[in-house]
Amino acid sequence: SGGHRRGPTGRSRLWSRRGVDMAEIEIGLGKSGRRAYGFDDIAIVPSRRTRDPEDVDISWQIDAYRFELPLMASAMDGVVSPATAIQIGRLGGVGVLNLEGLWTRYEDADSVLAEIAELPVEKATRRMQELYQQPIIPGLVTERIREINDAGVVSCASVTPQRTTALLDDILAGELDMLVIQGTVVSAEHVSKTIEPLNLKTFIRQLDIPVIVGGCATNRAALHLMRTGAAGVLVGVGPGHACTTRGVLGLGVPQATAIADVRAARMRHLDETGVYCHVIADGGMATGGDISKAIVCGADAVMIGSPLAAAAEAPGRGYHWGMATFHPTLPRGARVQTPTRGTLEEVLLGPANENDGKLNLFGGLRTSMATCGYVDVKEFQKAEVMVAPALMTEGKSLQKSQGVGMGH
């Protein structure tokens, strides 16, 4: 239920959901909207209790699968290959392979990635559009999944709603453990006059493996996705470092607000059904501090790409790009250069030899939780936050002037 009421000046109003009033700001006489916040706008507030980092549990369990890290590696060709999916799995997370990417279009995808890394900036998008026109080879879908399974780690892969049904037999033949159905925005109510859209609810309930769907960025859209029976939802429309959706389409919600809104949808869904649907923050995180804020806002786990693209083992050779970068008519991403910072293990678990929070990401999460006195991820979601626009600049003038630490 919701309602609006005019303030004494007629210039502000309150939007109510479940008894909580949220102020709207007038854009003009005929339009108003809520204020939204990104990670840089908020701060986690320390509590009265602290504990040792070694006593903190940052593990994550979804369906039958338990991970030592609350981590999904983004389904980007420059980030996740079968080899890096295996390594990420061994380090405690799960790598998501893009089943519509280069790894299923080319037997020797590595040589294609080498070519992409050498492309001049002005030719990169056009040439990538050409390379991604190569048809998907169904047998490679099965082969890549089996390669990950054979290493003894959880296999997880991503498809778009448009190709889910066509690739399903090959996915099942590979015995995939977890499926991600992913697009810029995925809804439970897609309408089309030309093709029969994927019925998410029917599809998910007929499948024997857990399905994660997204992206979404609002309470209502997330709730509808949860009602399809999804094991988890991805939260994020356009926050990724390589994504240009917010510029090309004008769409998006800053991540702190988006995650908090979807958290509320999870609570309502749990009240209605008794089923807990996981919230996965997808994109917009560069540091351990960002990951910590995502958890406090309500995420159970995070999906990251750019930080992992900076690993020495990343297949992109210092570059990465989003899944819509190579769209044939309306690209919504860029090939972004990501200088190598360390090994995958150093990026995720340390040790860090830099002081900007971009290495030992999950050591940062563990220490943030310990500093606030929380013992596990679900408990950490209860931590207090403040709107703190000065958080990233207060007292940091020397770092900024010297280009060190938080002044990078």
Side-chain angles (χ1 to χ4, degrees), residues 69-406:
L69 304 177
L71 164 70
M72 302 186 80
S74 296
M76 298 177 173
D77 284 337
V79 175
V80 177
S81 64
T84 55
I86 291 166
Q87 190 168 359
I88 290 164
R90 289 172 176 166
L91 290 169
V94 59
V96 185
L97 187 70
N98 181 5
L99 293 182
E100 299 177 30
L102 299 174
W103 298 99
T104 58
R105 296 175 191 265
Y106 295 91
E107 291 276 359
D108 182 14
D110 199 56
S111 65
V112 180
L113 286 158
E115 178 187 344
I116 290 173
E118 296 297 324
L119 292 172
V121 172
E122 66 275 10
K123 295 183 179 180
T125 298
R126 180 179 293 277
R127 179 57 179 149
M128 289 170 70
Q129 288 175 314
E130 294 169 354
L131 290 169
Y132 278 90
Q133 288 300 305
Q134 182 77 8
I136 294 170
I137 303 170
L140 278 181
V141 171
T142 303
E143 182 181 322
R144 301 304 190 198
I145 295 169
R146 286 178 176 167
E147 186 178 343
I148 298 169
N149 283 337
D150 289 347
V153 301
V154 175
S155 59
C156 185
S158 171
V159 290
T160 60
Q162 295 87 341
R163 284 200 171 103
T164 299
T165 303
L167 294 176
L168 182 60
D169 287 346
D170 300 293
I171 290 170
L172 295 178
E175 299 184 334
L176 186 72
D177 292 320
M178 294 171 58
L179 178 65
V180 177
I181 300 177
Q182 188 172 10
T184 301
V185 174
V186 172
S187 76
E189 299 180 11
H190 182 71
V191 179
S192 174
K193 292 182 178 180
T194 57
I195 60 170
E196 182 68 25
L198 176 68
N199 185 316
L200 276 173
K201 188 171 185 177
T202 301
F203 177 84
I204 289 172
R205 297 193 177 193
Q206 290 177 345
L207 209 58
D208 288 333
I209 61 174
V211 179
I212 295 168
V213 295
C216 66
T218 67
N219 178 279
R220 182 173 295 180
L223 186 59
H224 280 265
L225 289 178
M226 291 173 183
R227 288 170 175 165
T228 66
V233 295
L234 299 174
V235 183
V237 175
H241 291 82
C243 185
T244 62
T245 294
R246 292 179 175 178
V248 176
L249 302 182
L251 299 176
V253 177
Q255 279 291 70
T257 294
I259 297 164
D261 281 356
V262 175
R263 171 193 190 140
R266 179 183 62 204
M267 293 169 61
R268 180 173 174 183
H269 181 68
L270 182 62
D271 287 345
E272 291 176 348
T273 66
V275 176
Y276 189 93
C277 184
H278 291 256
V279 173
I280 298 122
D282 178 15
M285 291 155 285
T287 66
D290 293 337
I291 291 172
S292 300
K293 292 176 188 180
I295 299 292
V296 171
C297 284
D300 297 288
V302 299
M303 176 178 274
I304 57 175
S306 293
L308 302 181
E313 302 93 328
R317 294 166 170 78
Y319 290 93
H320 75 289
W321 50 94
M323 296 168 69
T325 301
F326 45 84
H327 191 281
T329 59
L330 190 63
R332 297 184 298 281
R335 185 196 62 166
V336 176
Q337 190 166 13
T338 316
T340 301
R341 303 182 67 90
T343 64
L344 263 174
E345 184 170 5
E346 288 168 342
V347 170
L348 294 176
L349 300 171
N353 54 21
E354 298 284 350
N355 55 15
D356 56 7
K358 295 180 180 179
L359 293 172
N360 196 5
L361 297 174
F362 289 90
L365 171 63
R366 184 184 295 276
T367 302
S368 182
M369 291 170 61
T371 303
C372 293
Y374 292 94
V375 71
D376 59 34
V377 168
K378 280 192 170 57
E379 283 291 310
F380 195 37
Q381 292 171 353
K382 300 175 183 176
E384 181 184 354
V385 297
M386 284 185 176
V387 177
L391 181 74
M392 307 301 289
T393 56
E394 184 179 46
K396 304 298 183 287
S397 58
L398 290 178
Q399 292 183 36
K400 185 175 182 180
S401 66
Q402 298 169 31
V404 299
M406 292 172 65

Side-chain angles (χ1 to χ4, degrees), residues 58-81:
I58 62 171
S59 66
W60 172 49
Q61 178 148 350
I62 180 169
D63 202 85
Y65 302 105
R66 183 182 185 278
F67 303 100
E68 292 302 314
L69 304 177
L71 164 70
M72 302 186 80
S74 296
M76 298 177 173
D77 284 337
V79 175
V80 177
S81 64

